């Protein structure tokens, strides 16, 4: 049995007692999965398009674009209060200390803030379609970091996925027609490309660190724990982004931004508000899929969303969709398919093994 299969079996055994979703019928479980997939894909696509809209209509504050990615974290308190299992209210003797949790959430929050800043710079200099296709490389980075930090095995399918997604990003990098919005020069395009690629790598590293934290520090991965991590790291990231906004002096230009915004002052405020909300809708989908299915599946669906976003950008912003971009998008979808098929194989083997273990225990 591989380490990946062991983690699936162990997680399912732990959730047998803790997850209220296992009491659902199969069609109800699939409905819950479908709702979370919709939240993730719709939320992420809308957030990226609104972020591009903010820049296109006159917004220029990178720190504000960074802040709205986490500032809507109070939205996550709603599912936390509604679905918080009563059994988790009791304090476990193996729970980490407050100092350990504070340090963990602070470090993760710093990484989230830095990652969001890189994404904001990337979206400033890239079209929404190019940005999304480069972000799809996060799945390749995730495979590499999971190999070193989470002991995930490199199979032929995962290696194939890494190679294909790397080729997809390379095509965007060397494509002469992949210039940024409104004639952004090649130098700025390169900065946007490197920042987005770096953000994808940092995001994948962040996911691996979170998984490692569940395994080594928190010692459990239940719904409330996953949500709490999302909320507390968002609080830290929002505070750091606010400090950056004032320290950089960008707050002084916000009033001017609002006045010259292409679609008016009200539209400026609504754009920021809805960007914050859609990022949190996406976060609800991410957290929901992590708990109901797995963190790997959540990341795979996130990558699928990034591969689909260029189509939305083509309709909304009339982004250029040349042959190279089409090939890059098809490669990203192929890489996604290869990765999810490997996940399907591992899950199928793990379920067979789990059934076999239960039969032995029942016989004994």
């Amino acid at each position: 049995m591989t380490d990946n299969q062991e983690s699936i079996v162990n997680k399912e055994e732990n959730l047998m007692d803790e997850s209220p979703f296992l009491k659902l019928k199969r069609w109800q479980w699939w409905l819950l999965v479908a709702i979370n997939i919709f939240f993730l894909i719709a939320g992420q696509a809308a957030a990226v398009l609104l972020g591009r809209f903010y820049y296109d209509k006159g917004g220029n504050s990178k720190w504000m674009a960074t802040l709205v990615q986490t500032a809507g974290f109070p939205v996550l308190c709603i599912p936390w209060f509604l679905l918080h299992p009563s059994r988790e209210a009791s304090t476990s003797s193996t729970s980490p200390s407050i100092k350990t949790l504070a340090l963990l959430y602070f470090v993760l929050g710093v990484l989230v803030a830095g990652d969001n800043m890189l994404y904001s710079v990337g979206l400033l200099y890239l079209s929404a379609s190019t940005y999304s296709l480069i972000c799809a490389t996060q799945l390749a980075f995730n495979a590499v970091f999971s190999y070193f930090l989470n002991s995930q095995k490199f199979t032929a399918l995962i290696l194939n996925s890494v190679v294909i997604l790397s080729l997809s990003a390379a095509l965007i990098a060397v494509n002469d027609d992949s210039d940024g919005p409104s004639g952004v020069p090649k130098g700025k395009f390169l900065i946007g490309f490197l920042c987005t690629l770096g953000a994808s790598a940092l995001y994948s590293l962040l996911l691996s660190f979170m998984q490692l934290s569940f395994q080594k520090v928190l010692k459990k991965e239940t719904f409330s724990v996953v949500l709490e991590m999302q909320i507390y790291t968002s609080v830290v990231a929002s505070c750091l982004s606010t400090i950056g906004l004032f320290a950089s002096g960008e707050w002084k230009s916000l009033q001017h931004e609002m006045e010259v915004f292409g679609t008016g002052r009200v539209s400026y405020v609504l754009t920021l508000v809805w960007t914050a909300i859609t990022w949190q809708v996406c976060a609800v989908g991410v957290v929901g899929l992590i708990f109901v299915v797995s963190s790997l599946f959540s990341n795979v669906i996130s990558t699928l969303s990034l591969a689909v976003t260029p189509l939305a950008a083509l309709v909304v912003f009339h982004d250029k969709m040349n042959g190279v971009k089409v090939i890059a998008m098809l490669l990203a979808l192929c890489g996604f398919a290869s990765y999810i098929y490997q996940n399907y194989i591992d899950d199928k083997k793990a379920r067979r093994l789990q059934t076999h273990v239960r039969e032995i225990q029942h016989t004994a």
Side-chain angles (χ1 to χ4, degrees):
M1 181 171 62
T2 67
D3 293 340
N4 201 28
Q5 293 161 17
E6 283 181 356
S7 65
I8 294 173
V9 171
N10 291 335
K11 181 176 178 182
E12 289 183 353
E13 288 175 349
N14 291 334
L15 289 178
M16 285 294 292
D17 297 326
E18 297 177 1
S19 174
F21 299 120
L22 291 175
K23 299 176 183 178
L24 297 175
K25 295 180 181 179
R26 189 166 184 81
W27 72 267
Q28 293 174 320
W29 184 87
W30 275 111
L31 178 61
L32 191 61
V33 170
I35 290 173
N36 281 295
I37 289 175
F38 173 77
F39 280 167
L40 197 162
I41 293 179
Q44 186 164 262
V48 170
L49 295 178
L50 284 170
R52 183 64 258 163
F53 180 80
Y54 166 75
Y55 286 132
D56 280 352
K57 298 303 178 181
N60 198 41
S61 174
K62 295 183 288 292
W63 280 110
M64 177 56 74
T66 301
L67 176 60
V68 295
Q69 293 182 51
T70 53
F73 67 86
V75 174
L76 296 178
C77 294
I78 299 174
W80 187 79
F81 281 118
L82 290 177
L83 299 175
H84 184 64
S86 57
R87 288 189 56 183
E88 293 182 34
S90 59
T91 303
S92 173
S93 58
T94 59
S95 297
S97 65
I98 298 297
K99 289 183 179 179
T100 302
L101 285 176
L103 179 61
L104 173 65
Y105 292 146
F106 177 77
V107 172
L108 291 176
V110 171
L111 291 176
V112 169
D115 188 49
N116 290 345
M117 183 59 177
L118 288 173
Y119 276 131
S120 297
V121 175
L123 192 55
L124 175 62
Y125 297 131
L126 300 176
S127 64
S129 58
T130 302
Y131 166 87
S132 298
L133 287 172
I134 297 172
C135 284
T137 58
Q138 71 188 38
L139 201 57
F141 286 117
N142 184 68
V144 175
F145 289 130
S146 294
Y147 174 79
F148 290 104
L149 296 177
N150 307 122
S151 302
Q152 179 174 310
K153 300 299 182 183
F154 252 131
T155 65
L157 286 170
I158 290 180
L159 184 60
N160 179 62
S161 176
V162 171
V163 172
I164 289 176
L165 289 168
S166 300
L167 286 175
S168 176
L171 278 175
I172 296 295
V174 301
N175 181 22
D176 291 334
D177 293 329
S178 289
D179 49 3
S182 303
V184 171
K186 198 67 177 177
K188 296 289 187 181
F189 169 81
L190 183 59
I191 292 175
F193 175 85
L194 293 176
C195 284
T196 306
L197 195 64
S200 299
L202 185 56
Y203 178 74
S204 298
L205 179 63
L206 186 64
L207 286 180
S208 294
F209 272 142
M210 285 183 172
Q211 190 67 35
L212 194 64
S213 300
F214 286 126
Q215 295 168 353
K216 305 296 184 182
V217 181
L218 302 173
K219 305 284 178 73
K220 57 182 178 178
E221 189 173 346
T222 60
F223 180 80
S224 64
V225 173
V226 173
L227 253 187
E228 283 167 7
M229 175 178 281
Q230 184 75 23
I231 292 171
Y232 292 137
T233 53
S234 294
V235 170
V236 174
S238 297
C239 290
L240 292 175
S241 300
T242 302
I243 293 172
L245 180 64
F246 283 92
S248 65
E250 287 187 0
W251 66 275
K252 298 177 182 178
S253 65
L254 295 182
Q255 181 66 31
H256 177 69
E257 271 191 14
M258 186 184 298
E259 292 174 353
V260 302
F261 198 67
T263 51
R265 296 162 63 97
V266 175
S267 177
Y268 176 83
V269 175
L270 289 176
T271 298
L272 295 179
V273 170
W274 279 107
T275 302
I277 291 174
T278 51
W279 275 122
Q280 295 312 309
V281 169
C282 173
V284 170
V286 169
V287 172
L289 288 178
I290 287 175
F291 185 64
V292 179
V293 189
S294 69
S295 57
L296 175 61
F297 185 79
S298 180
N299 195 28
V300 168
I301 296 299
S302 178
T303 304
L304 174 63
S305 172
L306 291 168
V308 170
T309 301
L311 299 177
L314 179 66
V315 175
V316 177
F317 297 117
H318 307 291
D319 283 359
K320 290 189 294 183
M321 188 60 73
N322 54 34
V324 174
K325 275 189 180 181
V326 171
I327 294 174
M329 185 171 67
L330 292 175
L331 284 173
L333 290 172
C334 288
F336 158 80
S338 180
Y339 208 99
I340 199 171
Y341 184 63
Q342 180 62 56
N343 183 47
Y344 167 76
I345 292 175
D346 288 338
D347 183 66
K348 191 174 181 180
K349 289 180 179 178
R351 288 181 184 276
R352 266 191 211 155
L353 182 62
Q354 187 185 37
T355 302
H356 180 64
V357 170
R358 282 177 176 172
E359 288 175 353
I360 293 175
Q361 290 176 343
H362 181 70
T363 303

